[in-house]
Amino acid sequence: MHLAAHFPGVNNTTVWADPRSRSQIDFSSFEQLARTAERGKFDFFFLAEGLRLREHNGRIHDLDVVGRPESLTVLNALAAVTERLGLAATVNATFNEPYELARRIATLDHLSGGRAAWNVVTSSDAFTGENFRRGGYLDRADRYNRAAEFVATARELWDSWTPDGASRPFAHEGPQFTISGEFTVPRSPQGHPVVIQAGDSSEGREFAASAADIIFTRHGTLEAGRDFYADVKGRLAAYGREADSLKIMPGVTVVVGDNDAEAQEKAAEIRRQQVSPQNAILAAEQIWGTDLSAYDPDGPLPDIDPVTDSGITRGRVLHGDPSAVVARWRALAEAKGLSLRGTVIETTTRQSFIGSPSTVAAELTAFVDQRAADGFILVPHLTPGGLDDVVDRVVPLLQESGAFRSEYTGSTLRSHLGLPEPVWKG
C-alpha cells in the first residue's frame, strides 16, 4: 500500500486546545511531521492550500486555521531536511498561470531530486476571486476545462526540454491559454512532477482519469470505497491508461490504543474535543444558514427551517442540500436521543480506523486487498505529532506482513508510487 501524511491545521477537526498541539505556521511543525513521515517510509507529505481566510457570520472564522503559508515555499524548505519523502503542494489552477506554476513546481522537483507533486484544485467562488486582480471567478462548469488545459500546458512546458538537456521553444494555443517562448527549467528528475487531483464529483473523477497520477478522495466505508475505486479505475481505459497508472488514496483518520476498547474510548474523547459547544453551534449555523447563538448546544436541534443561500459562511464548500441534511440530523437525533452537539459529533467527526495496532493494520490492509484503495493520506488531529502512533506502532506491523515497504527502493516520488517516467513528447 501507499501512505502519505497530511499536515493538519485546516478545518476545526484539529484539536488546538490539546497541550501537545503546536503552531501551524512555524517551520519546526512542518519539519517534525515530515521527518516522522520519512521515518515511517511514507510516499509523500501533503500540504493543503487556502487562498482566502474563511469567514463566518461576517467575521474571520477563527475556529479552524487562521494563517496559512504558501505551500511550495514550505516544501522547498522541507526538501533540505528530508531525503526520500515526496513533497506534494496543493495549488489552485483557477488563480495561477501555467508558465509560472510549472516553473515553480519544476524547481521544487530539481531541488528535491525528483520528489515534487502538484495537487490540482479549482475554485468557482467569487469570494476567493476578490483576492485577485481579475476580481472574478469561473463558472463551475468551466473550472475543470481550465484545469485540464492548465495541466496539459504545464506538461508541454516540462517537455520543452529534452531528456538529454536541450531546450526547445514552446507554443501553446487553446481556449484558456495562448503562450509561447522558452521554459527556464530543465526537464524534471522524474520526467514530470506527480499530478494529484482532489475530488469526488463526476467531473473530478473524469479529470483524474484523464490527467492525474493520484486521486485524493474521501469515503467512509469499505463498500463506498470499492464503488468509488471501480468507477474511477473503469474510466481509465477511455484515455488509453492502465489501472495501475492512477493511485486512489482516500483521506483517513486513525486512532490507536493498546486494545480496541481503549482506542474506542480515545476516539470518543477526540470527537468531544473536536466538537466543543462553540464548534457545535458553528457547524449547525453552516447548515441552517442563520445565527443560532441563542440555542443550547446540549439541548435539542433548532426547530426552524434552514435558510438557503444565506451566505453566512464564506470560503467553505457546503456538501449537500441543507434541507436534506437537517432532515437526516433530526431523524438521527430522534432515533438516538442526541443533543445538538451529540448530533454534530455523530455526523461530522467519526474516525476512519480505530483499534489496537494489529486491528488498524489489518483493516488498512483489507481496504487495499479488497480494492477500496491503493493507499491512504493520513489526516491527524494534532499538529505536529498526530502520526507518531501510526508510524511507531502500526507501520512496523504492515512492514512485517509485507503490506508496506521496509525501506525506500528508489529516490523519486514516482519510484515510491510505482509510476513510470512519462514518455517525452517534445
Side-chain angles (χ1 to χ4, degrees), residues 38-331:
E38 187 162 70
R39 177 164 55 83
K41 314 303 178 187
F42 280 29
D43 292 66
F44 60 93
F45 175 93
F46 182 91
L47 282 179
E49 180 180 68
L51 295 179
R52 180 159 183 176
L53 296 180
R54 294 163 173 164
E55 294 180 9
H56 182 78
N57 208 13
R59 301 177 64 185
I60 295 298
H61 175 45
D62 60 358
L63 292 182
D64 65 10
V65 67
V66 174
R68 263 170 121 172
E70 194 275 324
S71 297
L72 281 166
T73 304
V74 174
L75 295 180
N76 279 313
L78 288 178
V81 297
T82 55
E83 296 180 356
R84 299 291 187 90
L85 184 69
L87 303 167
T90 301
V91 188
N92 197 300
T94 305
F95 299 111
N96 283 282
E97 297 297 325
Y99 183 91
E100 181 208 10
L101 183 53
R103 186 168 179 254
R104 292 163 60 203
I105 296 172
T107 299
L108 172 62
D109 210 46
H110 277 278
L111 290 177
S112 65
R115 296 186 280 136
W118 170 28
N119 178 39
V120 184
V121 294
T122 63
S123 177
S124 61
D125 66 285
F127 175 69
T128 300
E130 290 173 0
N131 267 354
F132 295 86
R133 182 168 57 87
R134 289 194 297 274
Y137 60 98
L138 291 176
D139 288 337
R140 185 176 181 86
D142 293 333
R143 61 185 184 137
Y144 278 117
N145 293 332
R146 179 183 171 90
E149 188 177 336
F150 198 123
V151 173
T153 306
R155 285 174 168 154
E156 290 176 27
L157 295 169
W158 294 330
D159 274 340
S160 67
W161 282 71
T162 68
D164 58 3
S167 172
R168 297 185 176 185
F170 68 84
H172 174 91
E173 184 172 352
Q176 300 290 332
F177 311 106
T178 300
I179 58 174
S180 62
E182 291 193 4
F183 196 53
T184 61
V185 185
R187 186 168 173 82
S188 161
Q190 56 181 340
H192 295 166
V194 169
V195 172
I196 305 171
Q197 155 65 11
D200 287 304
S201 67
S202 179
E203 302 151 293
R205 298 181 192 199
E206 199 68 26
F207 177 47
S210 68
D213 300 303
I214 300 170
I215 183 167
F216 176 30
T217 181
R218 58 186 179 88
H219 43 254
T221 65
L222 179 64
E223 181 180 0
R226 293 183 67 183
D227 288 345
F228 182 89
Y229 191 97
D231 177 67
V232 174
K233 296 281 187 175
R235 298 173 188 244
L236 293 171
Y239 299 97
R241 302 181 64 188
E242 300 292 332
D244 287 343
S245 66
L246 175 64
K247 307 300 181 182
I248 296 177
M249 299 182 67
V252 301
T253 58
V254 175
V255 178
V256 182
D258 289 341
N259 53 60
D260 290 353
E262 180 188 284
Q264 290 291 344
E265 292 178 4
K266 186 176 178 181
E269 177 57 28
I270 290 171
R271 289 200 292 271
R272 286 191 291 271
Q273 289 179 303
Q274 291 171 325
V275 184
S276 65
Q278 187 182 10
N279 271 336
I281 293 296
L282 172 77
E285 288 178 340
Q286 292 173 350
I287 303 299
W288 266 267
T290 190
D291 186 342
L292 300 177
S293 58
Y295 285 81
D296 180 2
D298 293 316
L301 270 63
D303 56 359
I304 59 176
D305 292 331
V307 178
T308 58
D309 300 323
S310 70
I312 191 172
T313 297
R314 303 211 297 168
R316 181 189 294 276
V317 176
L318 179 64
H319 298 283
D321 172 62
S323 296
V325 174
V326 167
R328 287 198 301 270
W329 281 23
R330 285 175 173 160

Side-chain angles (χ1 to χ4, degrees), residues 17-45:
D18 191 296
R20 296 167 295 175
S21 184
R22 294 188 359 222
S23 171
Q24 85 279 14
I25 60 173
D26 191 279
F27 181 69
S28 64
S29 295
F30 295 103
E31 182 179 9
Q32 179 176 330
L33 187 65
R35 287 187 183 276
T36 300
E38 187 162 70
R39 177 164 55 83
K41 314 303 178 187
F42 280 29
D43 292 66
F44 60 93
F45 175 93

